Amino acid sequence: MKNVKIRNTLSLLMNIATAVLVFISIMWFFGTEGSKTGSGNMAFGRTGCFVFFTNDSNILAALCCLVLAPFNIKSIISGRDEIPQWVLLLKFVGTVAVTLTMMVVLLFLGPTQGYGKMFTGVTLELHLICPLLAIISFCFFERGIVLSKKQMLWGLVPTIVYGTVYLIMVVFTEKWPDFYGFNMGGFWYISYIALPAVTCVFALALRALHNKSEKVKA
């Protein structure tokens, strides 16, 4: 019972911290400075900030954290894990999305556009801190579901949806600039196939870490 309360307390703190940091970061884009300059590699302010997967994935993760938080509190009070499977599956989807955000920054955008640009202003929270909080809380402190490979596929949905919208807006209608550089050299079709594949790898890793933790008693 004690371990359950400790785990859910840590999970609650991380979930609330994630939601608060995401809210503050998104509000930056509507402030005086953020609305004009954006932040780091995200050069659009106000509603324009929602074209970035970074912001969309973090908002999704924050909403998942808020859905989970009341069940953390219930678990702390009862001393039993009271988080429904559908809530944990939802948290998994949000966590996969921000994991992709973080890893694309570390492995692709950082080397091509500069890490200084990736971790300046609110991009530090959105590219690194919030994703790490989501990963740690889901993989090590939140229990109640052993994820199957079929359930894991839900983690690919945000990437596929955003990738399709990005493809339409950047390549087919040219209403967005190619701010992520996924169409460099006209190789958009490689990016469109590669991103879901890479997301699947991250989803498998998160599933493995979570399921390993799930099998640990208490």
Side-chain angles (χ1 to χ4, degrees):
M1 180 181 293
K2 182 179 179 181
N3 287 341
V4 172
K5 291 187 175 184
I6 292 174
R7 281 193 294 98
N8 277 279
T9 298
L10 292 172
S11 171
L12 176 63
L13 291 173
M14 290 184 180
N15 285 328
I16 295 300
T18 300
V20 170
L21 286 174
V22 170
F23 176 79
I24 293 173
S25 298
I26 296 301
M27 286 301 99
W28 164 264
F29 291 94
F30 291 85
T32 302
E33 184 176 349
S35 63
K36 295 179 180 179
T37 63
S39 184
N41 68 314
M42 295 183 285
F44 307 144
R46 297 191 182 277
T47 56
C49 74
F50 297 123
V51 303
F52 299 105
F53 185 76
T54 292
N55 291 338
D56 298 337
S57 63
N58 273 275
I59 291 170
L60 174 62
L63 291 174
C64 295
C65 288
L66 290 177
V67 171
L68 198 151
F71 296 101
N72 284 141
I73 296 172
K74 187 177 180 181
S75 299
I76 294 169
I77 294 172
S78 69
R80 302 186 303 272
D81 285 307
E82 304 275 5
I83 307 173
Q85 289 194 0
W86 68 268
V87 174
L88 289 168
L89 183 57
L90 189 64
K91 178 66 181 289
F92 171 71
V93 172
T95 302
V96 172
V98 289
T99 299
L100 177 64
T101 287
M102 182 179 73
M103 296 307 294
V104 167
V105 166
L106 293 176
L107 301 178
F108 178 69
L109 296 179
T112 58
Q113 299 184 22
Y115 285 104
K117 194 175 183 180
M118 295 301 110
F119 300 123
T120 183
V122 299
T123 57
L124 175 62
E125 288 85 358
L126 297 172
H127 284 158
L128 186 64
I129 296 175
C130 291
L132 285 176
L133 287 172
I135 292 169
I136 293 170
S137 62
F138 178 75
C139 290
F140 302 108
F141 300 128
E142 294 159 3
R143 297 181 189 169
I145 185 174
V146 176
L147 288 163
S148 67
K149 289 183 179 179
K150 185 176 181 180
Q151 289 172 316
M152 181 211 70
L153 294 176
W154 284 105
L156 308 185
V157 173
T159 300
I160 294 172
V161 171
Y162 182 85
T164 301
V165 173
Y166 191 87
L167 175 64
I168 293 171
M169 299 303 287
V170 172
V171 178
F172 296 148
T173 67
E174 298 183 348
K175 291 183 178 180
W176 292 357
D178 185 22
F179 41 80
Y180 281 132
F182 292 153
N183 191 37
M184 284 192 299
F187 295 123
W188 59 265
Y189 48 90
I190 295 178
S191 298
Y192 189 72
I193 295 172
L195 283 175
V198 169
T199 303
C200 187
V201 172
F202 297 148
L204 281 168
L206 291 172
R207 171 180 175 265
L209 285 172
H210 173 81
N211 286 355
K212 183 177 181 180
S213 179
E214 187 76 39
K215 294 175 182 178
V216 176
K217 293 183 178 179

